[in-house]
Amino acid sequence: MTALLLIEQTLNGLQLGVMLFLMSAGLTLVFGIMNLINLAHGSLFMVGAYCAALFLEWTGSFVLAALLALPATLLVGLIIEIVVLRTLYERDHLDQVLATSGLILFFNEALHLVGGAEALYLDLPPFLKGQVKIIPGSPYPLYRLVVIAVGLAVALGLYLLVTRTRTGMLIRAGASNRTMLSALGVNVRLLFTAVFGLGAMLAGLGGVMAGPIVSVQSGMGENVLILAFVVIVIGGIGSIRGAFIAALLIGLIDTMGRAFMADLMGLVMSHTAAQTAGPTIASMLIYLLMAGVLFFRPQGLFPPRGR
Amino acid sequence: MERIVTIAVLIALAAVPLLASVFDAPFYLDLFGRVMIYAIAAISLNLIMGYGGMVSFGHAAFLGLGGYAVGILAKEGIDSGFVQWPLAIGSCALFALLTGLVVLRTSGAYFIMITLAFAQMLFFLFTSLAEYGGDDGLTIWTRSDFAGLIDLNDGASFYYLIFALLLACLGISARLIDSRFGMVLRGAKANERRMQAIGFPTFRYKLAAYTISGAMCGLAGALLANQAEFVGPSVLHWSRSGEILVMVVLGGMGGVAGPVLGAATYLLLSYFLADLTKHWAIIMGPLLILVVLFARGGLLGLLSGRRAKTDAP
């Protein structure tokens, strides 16, 4: 029984992990290359989910809606970049935090207007609805496995893009030394717009995939955003590899903590005390980890080389 | 110019109870009381951010901690303000001192992130305190009792108490900034290494400033809990920290009075916009972006026609 639960929770953790990775990948690159704190990244996650929900209403096809939602999010991302963020690169972090929190206010309310006050639900098509028996006797939702698979595939694709292509080389170079890169004649602005668009699309994909699991509502991106910040700080700002490992780590720790912390603590203290303290500690766990990492290794666990 | 504006704003605030009673609109006592409470929180943040260059993205943690100190004591039957308020301020000072030991080792973007992390920890701590309301928060049935000295249930007395505390906080922060302590703090903001080179242990100074700031914000928290007769996790949600940041920047970080202006403008603007339309955030958001992009010194900077210093943290 416990072994089953363990497998199930590991899968849940992985699923949260890949979702966080989709969010963090864009965030870490934007932060790493242009030194921009973009709080509105969570809004892109939300935009992705809303677009999917609205397109699903129009087209009736989940796959089509998901495929349309990605370019739509990309477009929104590019508009944000050109209209607001471009002016912010040269500003300090404080200005960036403020302006992008203004964006959050705007998007939360705008989508509220577009989508209505009620939460929207993304219905899965029949072929994604089933349950899979991973090991005999323990059904697990197929869709969550699909999420994990898509997430891992995207991670692999990003890895190949970053390590094997010329664009990837420029991205890595930008993350380790932006000034030098632009001195070498690379159009860093253009590179950044591209990277931001990519990041926006990934966040959108995260939103689309989260849609059927959580309800689609205004403000849904914010919790994920905070978690994504934890991920990129732990992983090392600017590092895709770090973001990947940290995302899985955070996903697993958070899920496992919530599932088992109370029982674990029950081993060393009274049952009732463990039942009250367990969930509290579990929800603080990742922030404790973040504070610890910042304290002992401020550059993160896997900082980009050359820093 | 700054002095004139400050005095004008303070006189206006002092006149609110009179006007509220003339026009029989006690609601405005509440509104402007809240403005002043947030002004105190913003002053406390300005102390470390405007003068020390420490951009805290978790200042609402102190607001919440101070509020919960009052709320929890009230629930346990301890109503005396003489116990509640010192404990609220003290616990915030202690929390600031302990977390300060960790957060002050970082700077820049990392400082922003780690203050956020600590605030989130407290947020989840209070969310899971089922005994004290958990998610739903804690209703405070009786306001702090000051043994007949001052009655917080009387709107005007409570209002003037907040007003007096606001003046005190303004005074304290003005005195601090001009003292040797404040000089070191500002020096450390401009060039920390140089300050260390001429022999100042800047870490200690920054830690002291961080602790004072936390304690002051704790006072605001205690006031807020009393005024709302409620404290909940929403008080220390990260968006609340963002709001306090906005107030400071909106008012302008260059001067002592900036946060007061900022808090008043932000709260009154969102109040009137909310009155105008349910979807006030759709106006407030872009407005915020415009202020950041084009009015860099904040309102104070606009008024006095100078650009406040907003060096990179």
Side-chain angles (χ1 to χ4, degrees):
Chain A
M1 190 61 209
T2 326
L4 268 183
L5 192 64
L6 196 64
I7 293 175
E8 221 174 273
Q9 294 299 339
T10 310
L11 285 172
N12 284 345
L14 274 179
Q15 182 236 310
L16 178 61
V18 297
M19 203 78 95
L20 285 177
F21 172 68
L22 290 179
M23 274 290 283
S24 332
L27 205 57
T28 200
L29 286 178
V30 170
F31 204 156
I33 299 181
M34 294 314 270
N35 201 15
L36 172 85
I37 300 183
N38 177 22
L39 294 186
H41 207 67
S43 297
L44 292 167
F45 178 85
M46 180 173 66
V47 166
Y50 261 90
C51 285
L54 295 176
F55 287 139
L56 180 60
E57 241 171 70
W58 289 340
T59 62
S61 153
F62 181 82
V63 177
L64 197 59
L67 288 179
L68 282 174
L70 296 185
T73 319
L74 174 68
L75 190 66
V76 174
L78 291 181
I79 293 174
I80 295 181
E81 204 267 332
I82 291 166
V83 175
V84 181
L85 300 185
R86 228 166 233 199
T87 340
L88 287 173
Y89 298 148
E90 303 305 322
R91 299 293 186 81
D92 57 44
H93 289 312
L94 181 58
D95 282 359
Q96 297 168 354
V97 165
L98 291 176
T100 53
S101 67
L103 279 176
I104 295 185
L105 276 180
F106 174 76
F107 274 105
N108 277 352
E109 202 56 43
L111 290 183
H112 204 112
L113 277 174
V114 173
E118 305 282 307
L120 303 176
Y121 291 93
L122 266 174
D123 262 338
L124 284 173
F127 69 92
L128 283 176
K129 256 186 186 155
Q131 304 255 329
V132 176
K133 290 200 171 53
I134 333 158
I135 46 172
S138 76
Y140 192 80
L142 171 67
Y143 180 68
R144 287 177 180 250
L145 289 179
V146 172
V147 169
I148 296 176
V150 171
L152 292 178
V154 170
L156 182 67
L158 261 184
Y159 175 76
L160 292 178
L161 174 77
V162 170
T163 53
R164 294 278 187 275
T165 65
R166 185 178 160 75
T167 318
M169 189 179 74
L170 294 178
I171 293 175
R172 275 180 292 145
S176 56
N177 195 331
R178 168 166 46 123
T179 323
M180 183 56 89
L181 186 64
S182 91
L184 288 173
V186 176
N187 186 343
V188 174
R189 274 275 145 103
L190 189 67
L191 173 73
F192 180 67
T193 307
V195 167
F196 189 85
L198 178 69
M201 210 157 67
L202 290 176
L205 177 63
V208 171
M209 294 206 302
I213 300 175
V214 300
S215 57
V216 179
Q217 56 189 347
S218 121
M220 67 182 281
E222 289 166 22
N223 292 333
V224 192
L225 172 81
I226 302 280
L227 287 179
F229 271 120
V230 175
V231 166
I232 68 171
V233 167
I234 289 179
I237 290 169
S239 154
I240 292 267
R241 188 171 61 113
F244 181 68
I245 299 171
L248 293 189
L249 199 66
I250 291 293
L252 285 171
I253 289 179
D254 196 49
T255 315
M256 294 295 189
R258 280 170 209 275
F260 300 114
M261 184 56 92
D263 294 339
L264 266 183
M265 288 176 66
L267 298 178
V268 288
M269 57 172 71
S270 80
H271 180 72
T272 42
Q275 288 304 325
T276 29
T280 313
I281 306 277
S283 54
M284 290 164 58
L285 210 53
I286 55 171
Y287 298 102
L288 281 170
L289 182 67
M290 173 177 169
V293 167
L294 275 176
F295 189 72
F296 291 109
R297 242 182 106 82
Q299 73 275 37
L301 296 180
F302 308 94
R305 283 181 210 112
R307 271 266 171 91
Chain B
M1 187 66 198
E2 185 195 332
R3 178 166 290 250
I4 300 169
V5 175
T6 313
I7 292 171
V9 168
L10 289 177
I11 289 176
L13 282 173
V16 166
L18 195 69
L19 295 173
S21 72
V22 169
F23 293 104
D24 193 28
F27 165 75
Y28 286 100
L29 272 187
D30 251 26
L31 180 64
F32 284 93
R34 200 159 67 242
V35 165
M36 292 193 297
I37 292 171
Y38 275 103
I40 294 176
I43 290 171
S44 78
L45 179 58
N46 188 36
L47 204 57
I48 55 168
M49 190 166 85
Y51 297 101
M54 299 171 252
V55 180
S56 162
F57 197 21
H59 228 55
F62 300 112
L63 211 55
L65 191 58
Y68 266 103
V70 170
I72 289 175
L73 284 173
K75 177 145 200 270
E76 296 301 334
I78 302 166
D79 285 339
S80 169
F82 295 117
V83 180
Q84 285 179 347
W85 292 29
L87 260 174
I89 296 169
S91 56
C92 283
L94 188 67
F95 184 69
L97 182 69
L98 292 179
T99 57
L101 286 172
V102 180
V103 298
L104 289 172
R105 284 173 197 276
T106 63
S107 61
Y110 294 102
F111 186 86
I112 299 180
M113 294 298 151
I114 197 165
T115 46
L116 174 68
F118 276 112
Q120 285 295 100
M121 279 186 225
L122 269 196
F123 175 79
F124 284 114
L125 175 68
F126 286 119
T127 306
S128 60
L129 275 185
E131 209 170 322
Y132 298 108
D135 269 335
D136 302 327
L138 189 60
T139 302
I140 297 167
W141 298 106
T142 47
R143 286 184 171 172
S144 300
D145 173 42
F146 282 96
L149 208 63
I150 187 165
D151 181 13
L152 296 195
N153 291 311
D154 176 56
S157 332
F158 190 17
Y159 185 91
Y160 279 117
L161 176 66
I162 303 174
F163 185 68
L165 289 171
L166 173 67
L167 287 184
C169 289
L170 269 178
I172 290 172
S173 86
R175 287 294 291 271
L176 270 181
I177 294 313
D178 286 333
S179 70
R180 182 171 175 277
F181 175 80
M183 296 285 183
V184 177
L185 203 59
R186 283 146 69 187
K189 181 193 178 188
N191 192 333
E192 180 152 13
R193 197 171 288 177
R194 197 174 292 166
M195 287 309 284
Q196 283 167 350
I198 57 176
F200 287 105
T202 49
F203 183 83
R204 271 185 248 160
Y205 281 85
K206 286 165 81 173
L207 187 60
Y210 192 72
T211 308
I212 295 171
S213 169
M216 198 183 278
C217 199
L219 172 68
L223 287 168
L224 192 67
N226 266 296
Q227 204 213 23
E229 296 180 338
F230 172 81
V231 59
S234 63
V235 178
L236 32 93
H237 193 250
W238 67 273
S239 58
R240 196 61 66 99
S241 300
E243 278 183 347
I244 305 176
L245 265 179
V246 169
M247 291 172 193
V248 175
V249 174
L250 191 63
M253 295 197 294
V256 180
V260 184
L261 267 179
T265 313
Y266 181 83
L267 288 174
L268 295 180
L269 196 63
S270 48
Y271 168 72
F272 287 114
L273 283 179
D275 213 31
L276 208 64
T277 159
K278 200 168 68 175
H279 308 289
W280 60 277
I282 212 162
I283 306 172
M284 197 68 177
L287 217 54
L288 202 57
I289 298 171
L290 289 178
V291 169
V292 173
L293 292 186
F294 300 113
R296 296 199 56 191
L299 293 172
L300 217 54
L302 279 181
L303 285 172
S304 53
R306 72 181 153 79
R307 281 169 54 130
K309 294 159 290 244
T310 47
D311 316 281

